[in-house]
Amino acid sequence: ADTVAPDSLKKSNSIDAPIDYIAGDSIIFKMKSRVIEVYGEGNVKYKDIELSSGKIDLDLNKREVFAKAIIDTTGEKLDKPHFKQSSDEFDADSMRYNFDSKKGLAYGIITEQEDGYLHSQKTKIHENEEIHIKGGKYTTCDLDHPHFYVGMTRGKVIPKRQIVTGPAYLVIEDITT
């Protein structure tokens, strides 16, 4: 495991806490652009944030992290990004998160909410831990492709309180009712 210590130069783009990272395969440092690329079962920890994925790019200038799954020769996504902050966590196909603004953008997420699962095509993560979703599904089925769900064009999730949606519709076995 390696660590990037907080910048000692006190620039406006300094990191204010250590960033720990580890890779199952390799780590590439790009000194000019200040980007660290982590490959194969990568893991990055910063304060209360932990991200694991097959491919992670840590941009120290922008103070953001980008993660995506590795796609094998059959087209299957392996080692998908898993994001955890405090008690909230989710899996995604890809995601970007900024350490300063505490905002992120994720695609293809699946997260557990109360007694069900929330799927989303596009998700915006906000500083106050609320999320906005586009192309969502809420279901009690724990499969990646659920047999039944309430489909929603867009929605807002207020953790541990409620899910607010725009137009919603019931879907059973991929047939909209």
Side-chain angles (χ1 to χ4, degrees), residues 79-105:
D79 209 3
K80 293 170 111 177
H82 182 81
F83 180 83
K84 183 176 182 182
Q85 182 176 22
S86 303
S87 62
D88 296 326
E89 59 184 293
F90 62 84
D91 294 317
D93 290 338
S94 67
M95 72 161 301
R96 183 174 306 278
Y97 185 82
N98 185 286
F99 295 130
D100 287 343
S101 67
K102 296 185 172 97
K103 294 180 182 179
L105 190 59

PDB file of all heavy atoms in Angstrom, residues 79-105:
ATOM      1  N   ASP A  79     -14.909  -6.558 -11.620  1.00  0.00           N
ATOM      2  CA  ASP A  79     -14.340  -5.664 -10.609  1.00  0.00           C
ATOM      3  C   ASP A  79     -14.928  -4.254 -10.727  1.00  0.00           C
ATOM      4  O   ASP A  79     -14.216  -3.259 -10.853  1.00  0.00           O
ATOM      5  CB  ASP A  79     -12.816  -5.644 -10.745  1.00  0.00           C
ATOM      6  CG  ASP A  79     -12.113  -5.365  -9.432  1.00  0.00           C
ATOM      7  OD1 ASP A  79     -12.796  -5.237  -8.394  1.00  0.00           O
ATOM      8  OD2 ASP A  79     -10.872  -5.266  -9.449  1.00  0.00           O
ATOM      9  N   LYS A  80     -16.276  -4.184 -10.686  1.00  0.00           N
ATOM     10  CA  LYS A  80     -16.987  -2.912 -10.790  1.00  0.00           C
ATOM     11  C   LYS A  80     -16.656  -2.005  -9.604  1.00  0.00           C
ATOM     12  O   LYS A  80     -16.342  -2.490  -8.514  1.00  0.00           O
ATOM     13  CB  LYS A  80     -18.497  -3.161 -10.812  1.00  0.00           C
ATOM     14  CG  LYS A  80     -18.996  -3.868 -12.037  1.00  0.00           C
ATOM     15  CD  LYS A  80     -20.436  -4.274 -11.852  1.00  0.00           C
ATOM     16  CE  LYS A  80     -21.329  -3.471 -12.747  1.00  0.00           C
ATOM     17  NZ  LYS A  80     -22.731  -3.870 -12.646  1.00  0.00           N
ATOM     18  N   PRO A  81     -16.722  -0.700  -9.797  1.00  0.00           N
ATOM     19  CA  PRO A  81     -16.459   0.226  -8.697  1.00  0.00           C
ATOM     20  C   PRO A  81     -17.434   0.014  -7.529  1.00  0.00           C
ATOM     21  O   PRO A  81     -18.638  -0.161  -7.734  1.00  0.00           O
ATOM     22  CB  PRO A  81     -16.686   1.603  -9.323  1.00  0.00           C
ATOM     23  CG  PRO A  81     -16.443   1.401 -10.768  1.00  0.00           C
ATOM     24  CD  PRO A  81     -16.929   0.017 -11.061  1.00  0.00           C
ATOM     25  N   HIS A  82     -16.881   0.009  -6.331  1.00  0.00           N
ATOM     26  CA  HIS A  82     -17.674  -0.059  -5.096  1.00  0.00           C
ATOM     27  C   HIS A  82     -17.271   1.145  -4.260  1.00  0.00           C
ATOM     28  O   HIS A  82     -16.112   1.284  -3.862  1.00  0.00           O
ATOM     29  CB  HIS A  82     -17.412  -1.358  -4.334  1.00  0.00           C
ATOM     30  CG  HIS A  82     -18.236  -1.473  -3.091  1.00  0.00           C
ATOM     31  ND1 HIS A  82     -19.550  -1.877  -3.118  1.00  0.00           N
ATOM     32  CD2 HIS A  82     -17.940  -1.199  -1.800  1.00  0.00           C
ATOM     33  CE1 HIS A  82     -20.029  -1.868  -1.885  1.00  0.00           C
ATOM     34  NE2 HIS A  82     -19.076  -1.458  -1.069  1.00  0.00           N
ATOM     35  N   PHE A  83     -18.228   2.046  -4.014  1.00  0.00           N
ATOM     36  CA  PHE A  83     -17.991   3.302  -3.306  1.00  0.00           C
ATOM     37  C   PHE A  83     -18.609   3.211  -1.919  1.00  0.00           C
ATOM     38  O   PHE A  83     -19.748   2.764  -1.761  1.00  0.00           O
ATOM     39  CB  PHE A  83     -18.634   4.459  -4.089  1.00  0.00           C
ATOM     40  CG  PHE A  83     -18.446   5.805  -3.464  1.00  0.00           C
ATOM     41  CD1 PHE A  83     -17.275   6.518  -3.664  1.00  0.00           C
ATOM     42  CD2 PHE A  83     -19.449   6.372  -2.694  1.00  0.00           C
ATOM     43  CE1 PHE A  83     -17.107   7.772  -3.099  1.00  0.00           C
ATOM     44  CE2 PHE A  83     -19.291   7.626  -2.126  1.00  0.00           C
ATOM     45  CZ  PHE A  83     -18.114   8.331  -2.332  1.00  0.00           C
ATOM     46  N   LYS A  84     -17.867   3.646  -0.914  1.00  0.00           N
ATOM     47  CA  LYS A  84     -18.375   3.629   0.462  1.00  0.00           C
ATOM     48  C   LYS A  84     -17.977   4.928   1.147  1.00  0.00           C
ATOM     49  O   LYS A  84     -16.809   5.328   1.108  1.00  0.00           O
ATOM     50  CB  LYS A  84     -17.801   2.438   1.222  1.00  0.00           C
ATOM     51  CG  LYS A  84     -18.323   2.311   2.626  1.00  0.00           C
ATOM     52  CD  LYS A  84     -17.798   1.062   3.302  1.00  0.00           C
ATOM     53  CE  LYS A  84     -18.377   0.943   4.694  1.00  0.00           C
ATOM     54  NZ  LYS A  84     -17.856  -0.232   5.407  1.00  0.00           N
ATOM     55  N   GLN A  85     -18.973   5.601   1.739  1.00  0.00           N
ATOM     56  CA  GLN A  85     -18.721   6.802   2.522  1.00  0.00           C
ATOM     57  C   GLN A  85     -19.622   6.745   3.737  1.00  0.00           C
ATOM     58  O   GLN A  85     -20.846   6.675   3.609  1.00  0.00           O
ATOM     59  CB  GLN A  85     -18.994   8.069   1.724  1.00  0.00           C
ATOM     60  CG  GLN A  85     -18.685   9.332   2.497  1.00  0.00           C
ATOM     61  CD  GLN A  85     -18.865  10.585   1.666  1.00  0.00           C
ATOM     62  OE1 GLN A  85     -19.581  10.592   0.671  1.00  0.00           O
ATOM     63  NE2 GLN A  85     -18.223  11.649   2.081  1.00  0.00           N
ATOM     64  N   SER A  86     -19.028   6.746   4.909  1.00  0.00           N
ATOM     65  CA  SER A  86     -19.759   6.578   6.165  1.00  0.00           C
ATOM     66  C   SER A  86     -20.566   5.292   6.075  1.00  0.00           C
ATOM     67  O   SER A  86     -20.026   4.244   5.823  1.00  0.00           O
ATOM     68  CB  SER A  86     -20.637   7.793   6.450  1.00  0.00           C
ATOM     69  OG  SER A  86     -19.853   8.965   6.485  1.00  0.00           O
ATOM     70  N   SER A  87     -21.892   5.375   6.220  1.00  0.00           N
ATOM     71  CA  SER A  87     -22.728   4.171   6.167  1.00  0.00           C
ATOM     72  C   SER A  87     -23.340   3.945   4.782  1.00  0.00           C
ATOM     73  O   SER A  87     -24.022   2.956   4.562  1.00  0.00           O
ATOM     74  CB  SER A  87     -23.843   4.262   7.211  1.00  0.00           C
ATOM     75  OG  SER A  87     -24.671   5.367   6.921  1.00  0.00           O
ATOM     76  N   ASP A  88     -23.102   4.863   3.849  1.00  0.00           N
ATOM     77  CA  ASP A  88     -23.651   4.730   2.502  1.00  0.00           C
ATOM     78  C   ASP A  88     -22.651   4.015   1.595  1.00  0.00           C
ATOM     79  O   ASP A  88     -21.456   4.295   1.633  1.00  0.00           O
ATOM     80  CB  ASP A  88     -23.967   6.105   1.898  1.00  0.00           C
ATOM     81  CG  ASP A  88     -25.045   6.827   2.680  1.00  0.00           C
ATOM     82  OD1 ASP A  88     -25.939   6.151   3.199  1.00  0.00           O
ATOM     83  OD2 ASP A  88     -24.970   8.064   2.770  1.00  0.00           O
ATOM     84  N   GLU A  89     -23.173   3.096   0.765  1.00  0.00           N
ATOM     85  CA  GLU A  89     -22.318   2.413  -0.195  1.00  0.00           C
ATOM     86  C   GLU A  89     -23.130   1.954  -1.383  1.00  0.00           C
ATOM     87  O   GLU A  89     -24.333   1.746  -1.284  1.00  0.00           O
ATOM     88  CB  GLU A  89     -21.549   1.265   0.448  1.00  0.00           C
ATOM     89  CG  GLU A  89     -22.371   0.191   1.077  1.00  0.00           C
ATOM     90  CD  GLU A  89     -21.491  -0.841   1.768  1.00  0.00           C
ATOM     91  OE1 GLU A  89     -20.750  -1.574   1.074  1.00  0.00           O
ATOM     92  OE2 GLU A  89     -21.543  -0.903   3.002  1.00  0.00           O
ATOM     93  N   PHE A  90     -22.448   1.836  -2.535  1.00  0.00           N
ATOM     94  CA  PHE A  90     -23.101   1.365  -3.748  1.00  0.00           C
ATOM     95  C   PHE A  90     -22.086   0.825  -4.726  1.00  0.00           C
ATOM     96  O   PHE A  90     -20.899   1.097  -4.629  1.00  0.00           O
ATOM     97  CB  PHE A  90     -23.947   2.465  -4.403  1.00  0.00           C
ATOM     98  CG  PHE A  90     -23.173   3.672  -4.857  1.00  0.00           C
ATOM     99  CD1 PHE A  90     -22.527   3.686  -6.088  1.00  0.00           C
ATOM    100  CD2 PHE A  90     -23.106   4.801  -4.068  1.00  0.00           C
ATOM    101  CE1 PHE A  90     -21.819   4.795  -6.516  1.00  0.00           C
ATOM    102  CE2 PHE A  90     -22.392   5.916  -4.485  1.00  0.00           C
ATOM    103  CZ  PHE A  90     -21.758   5.911  -5.709  1.00  0.00           C
ATOM    104  N   ASP A  91     -22.588   0.030  -5.683  1.00  0.00           N
ATOM    105  CA  ASP A  91     -21.795  -0.474  -6.796  1.00  0.00           C
ATOM    106  C   ASP A  91     -22.201   0.308  -8.039  1.00  0.00           C
ATOM    107  O   ASP A  91     -23.343   0.739  -8.156  1.00  0.00           O
ATOM    108  CB  ASP A  91     -22.067  -1.965  -7.029  1.00  0.00           C
ATOM    109  CG  ASP A  91     -21.580  -2.817  -5.870  1.00  0.00           C
ATOM    110  OD1 ASP A  91     -20.478  -2.559  -5.367  1.00  0.00           O
ATOM    111  OD2 ASP A  91     -22.309  -3.733  -5.473  1.00  0.00           O
ATOM    112  N   ALA A  92     -21.274   0.468  -8.984  1.00  0.00           N
ATOM    113  CA  ALA A  92     -21.559   1.224 -10.212  1.00  0.00           C
ATOM    114  C   ALA A  92     -20.770   0.638 -11.375  1.00  0.00           C
ATOM    115  O   ALA A  92     -19.838  -0.129 -11.181  1.00  0.00           O
ATOM    116  CB  ALA A  92     -21.177   2.687 -10.026  1.00  0.00           C
ATOM    117  N   ASP A  93     -21.177   1.004 -12.594  1.00  0.00           N
ATOM    118  CA  ASP A  93     -20.399   0.650 -13.780  1.00  0.00           C
ATOM    119  C   ASP A  93     -19.192   1.575 -13.901  1.00  0.00           C
ATOM    120  O   ASP A  93     -18.101   1.154 -14.248  1.00  0.00           O
ATOM    121  CB  ASP A  93     -21.247   0.751 -15.041  1.00  0.00           C
ATOM    122  CG  ASP A  93     -22.306  -0.339 -15.124  1.00  0.00           C
ATOM    123  OD1 ASP A  93     -22.146  -1.391 -14.464  1.00  0.00           O
ATOM    124  OD2 ASP A  93     -23.304  -0.141 -15.838  1.00  0.00           O
ATOM    125  N   SER A  94     -19.406   2.869 -13.607  1.00  0.00           N
ATOM    126  CA  SER A  94     -18.322   3.854 -13.578  1.00  0.00           C
ATOM    127  C   SER A  94     -18.751   5.013 -12.706  1.00  0.00           C
ATOM    128  O   SER A  94     -19.946   5.231 -12.499  1.00  0.00           O
ATOM    129  CB  SER A  94     -17.975   4.350 -14.989  1.00  0.00           C
ATOM    130  OG  SER A  94     -19.038   5.093 -15.529  1.00  0.00           O
ATOM    131  N   MET A  95     -17.779   5.745 -12.198  1.00  0.00           N
ATOM    132  CA  MET A  95     -18.116   6.901 -11.358  1.00  0.00           C
ATOM    133  C   MET A  95     -16.957   7.880 -11.276  1.00  0.00           C
ATOM    134  O   MET A  95     -15.808   7.521 -11.508  1.00  0.00           O
ATOM    135  CB  MET A  95     -18.515   6.454  -9.961  1.00  0.00           C
ATOM    136  CG  MET A  95     -17.385   5.939  -9.098  1.00  0.00           C
ATOM    137  SD  MET A  95     -17.802   5.944  -7.359  1.00  0.00           S
ATOM    138  CE  MET A  95     -18.168   7.635  -7.063  1.00  0.00           C
ATOM    139  N   ARG A  96     -17.310   9.125 -10.970  1.00  0.00           N
ATOM    140  CA  ARG A  96     -16.345  10.204 -10.753  1.00  0.00           C
ATOM    141  C   ARG A  96     -16.762  10.909  -9.467  1.00  0.00           C
ATOM    142  O   ARG A  96     -17.946  11.148  -9.240  1.00  0.00           O
ATOM    143  CB  ARG A  96     -16.379  11.174 -11.933  1.00  0.00           C
ATOM    144  CG  ARG A  96     -15.374  12.289 -11.847  1.00  0.00           C
ATOM    145  CD  ARG A  96     -15.349  13.131 -13.116  1.00  0.00           C
ATOM    146  NE  ARG A  96     -15.140  12.362 -14.328  1.00  0.00           N
ATOM    147  CZ  ARG A  96     -13.954  11.956 -14.789  1.00  0.00           C
ATOM    148  NH1 ARG A  96     -12.864  12.232 -14.119  1.00  0.00           N
ATOM    149  NH2 ARG A  96     -13.864  11.284 -15.910  1.00  0.00           N
ATOM    150  N   TYR A  97     -15.784  11.225  -8.611  1.00  0.00           N
ATOM    151  CA  TYR A  97     -16.091  11.865  -7.331  1.00  0.00           C
ATOM    152  C   TYR A  97     -15.022  12.906  -7.033  1.00  0.00           C
ATOM    153  O   TYR A  97     -13.834  12.634  -7.169  1.00  0.00           O
ATOM    154  CB  TYR A  97     -16.139  10.824  -6.205  1.00  0.00           C
ATOM    155  CG  TYR A  97     -16.561  11.381  -4.880  1.00  0.00           C
ATOM    156  CD1 TYR A  97     -17.900  11.557  -4.581  1.00  0.00           C
ATOM    157  CD2 TYR A  97     -15.622  11.751  -3.931  1.00  0.00           C
ATOM    158  CE1 TYR A  97     -18.296  12.085  -3.359  1.00  0.00           C
ATOM    159  CE2 TYR A  97     -16.005  12.275  -2.707  1.00  0.00           C
ATOM    160  CZ  TYR A  97     -17.341  12.437  -2.433  1.00  0.00           C
ATOM    161  OH  TYR A  97     -17.727  12.974  -1.221  1.00  0.00           O
ATOM    162  N   ASN A  98     -15.457  14.106  -6.613  1.00  0.00           N
ATOM    163  CA  ASN A  98     -14.544  15.190  -6.280  1.00  0.00           C
ATOM    164  C   ASN A  98     -14.431  15.296  -4.766  1.00  0.00           C
ATOM    165  O   ASN A  98     -15.440  15.429  -4.077  1.00  0.00           O
ATOM    166  CB  ASN A  98     -15.042  16.506  -6.882  1.00  0.00           C
ATOM    167  CG  ASN A  98     -14.055  17.625  -6.666  1.00  0.00           C
ATOM    168  OD1 ASN A  98     -13.915  18.139  -5.566  1.00  0.00           O
ATOM    169  ND2 ASN A  98     -13.358  17.995  -7.725  1.00  0.00           N
ATOM    170  N   PHE A  99     -13.199  15.218  -4.241  1.00  0.00           N
ATOM    171  CA  PHE A  99     -12.976  15.253  -2.799  1.00  0.00           C
ATOM    172  C   PHE A  99     -13.332  16.594  -2.179  1.00  0.00           C
ATOM    173  O   PHE A  99     -13.788  16.652  -1.042  1.00  0.00           O
ATOM    174  CB  PHE A  99     -11.518  14.927  -2.471  1.00  0.00           C
ATOM    175  CG  PHE A  99     -11.103  13.536  -2.825  1.00  0.00           C
ATOM    176  CD1 PHE A  99      -9.957  13.306  -3.566  1.00  0.00           C
ATOM    177  CD2 PHE A  99     -11.846  12.435  -2.428  1.00  0.00           C
ATOM    178  CE1 PHE A  99      -9.555  12.027  -3.899  1.00  0.00           C
ATOM    179  CE2 PHE A  99     -11.458  11.147  -2.750  1.00  0.00           C
ATOM    180  CZ  PHE A  99     -10.309  10.946  -3.483  1.00  0.00           C
ATOM    181  N   ASP A 100     -13.127  17.704  -2.901  1.00  0.00           N
ATOM    182  CA  ASP A 100     -13.414  19.037  -2.361  1.00  0.00           C
ATOM    183  C   ASP A 100     -14.907  19.328  -2.295  1.00  0.00           C
ATOM    184  O   ASP A 100     -15.433  19.709  -1.257  1.00  0.00           O
ATOM    185  CB  ASP A 100     -12.743  20.115  -3.209  1.00  0.00           C
ATOM    186  CG  ASP A 100     -11.241  20.144  -3.010  1.00  0.00           C
ATOM    187  OD1 ASP A 100     -10.751  19.585  -2.006  1.00  0.00           O
ATOM    188  OD2 ASP A 100     -10.555  20.732  -3.866  1.00  0.00           O
ATOM    189  N   SER A 101     -15.584  19.182  -3.417  1.00  0.00           N
ATOM    190  CA  SER A 101     -17.013  19.520  -3.471  1.00  0.00           C
ATOM    191  C   SER A 101     -17.885  18.435  -2.853  1.00  0.00           C
ATOM    192  O   SER A 101     -19.048  18.663  -2.560  1.00  0.00           O
ATOM    193  CB  SER A 101     -17.445  19.758  -4.917  1.00  0.00           C
ATOM    194  OG  SER A 101     -17.373  18.551  -5.650  1.00  0.00           O
ATOM    195  N   LYS A 102     -17.319  17.229  -2.674  1.00  0.00           N
ATOM    196  CA  LYS A 102     -18.058  16.069  -2.161  1.00  0.00           C
ATOM    197  C   LYS A 102     -19.242  15.728  -3.061  1.00  0.00           C
ATOM    198  O   LYS A 102     -20.282  15.290  -2.604  1.00  0.00           O
ATOM    199  CB  LYS A 102     -18.503  16.281  -0.725  1.00  0.00           C
ATOM    200  CG  LYS A 102     -17.343  16.423   0.238  1.00  0.00           C
ATOM    201  CD  LYS A 102     -17.799  16.519   1.665  1.00  0.00           C
ATOM    202  CE  LYS A 102     -16.639  16.475   2.603  1.00  0.00           C
ATOM    203  NZ  LYS A 102     -16.147  17.721   3.055  1.00  0.00           N
ATOM    204  N   LYS A 103     -19.062  15.990  -4.350  1.00  0.00           N
ATOM    205  CA  LYS A 103     -20.084  15.680  -5.339  1.00  0.00           C
ATOM    206  C   LYS A 103     -19.535  14.649  -6.312  1.00  0.00           C
ATOM    207  O   LYS A 103     -18.331  14.581  -6.536  1.00  0.00           O
ATOM    208  CB  LYS A 103     -20.505  16.933  -6.108  1.00  0.00           C
ATOM    209  CG  LYS A 103     -21.210  17.961  -5.254  1.00  0.00           C
ATOM    210  CD  LYS A 103     -21.589  19.166  -6.065  1.00  0.00           C
ATOM    211  CE  LYS A 103     -22.263  20.216  -5.193  1.00  0.00           C
ATOM    212  NZ  LYS A 103     -22.610  21.407  -5.967  1.00  0.00           N
ATOM    213  N   GLY A 104     -20.448  13.865  -6.878  1.00  0.00           N
ATOM    214  CA  GLY A 104     -20.010  12.850  -7.811  1.00  0.00           C
ATOM    215  C   GLY A 104     -21.058  12.553  -8.852  1.00  0.00           C
ATOM    216  O   GLY A 104     -22.203  12.997  -8.767  1.00  0.00           O
ATOM    217  N   LEU A 105     -20.659  11.771  -9.831  1.00  0.00           N
ATOM    218  CA  LEU A 105     -21.542  11.340 -10.902  1.00  0.00           C
ATOM    219  C   LEU A 105     -21.253   9.863 -11.128  1.00  0.00           C
ATOM    220  O   LEU A 105     -20.093   9.481 -11.305  1.00  0.00           O
ATOM    221  CB  LEU A 105     -21.256  12.152 -12.160  1.00  0.00           C
ATOM    222  CG  LEU A 105     -22.207  12.031 -13.327  1.00  0.00           C
ATOM    223  CD1 LEU A 105     -23.630  12.424 -12.931  1.00  0.00           C
ATOM    224  CD2 LEU A 105     -21.743  12.902 -14.479  1.00  0.00           C
TER     225      LEU A 105
END
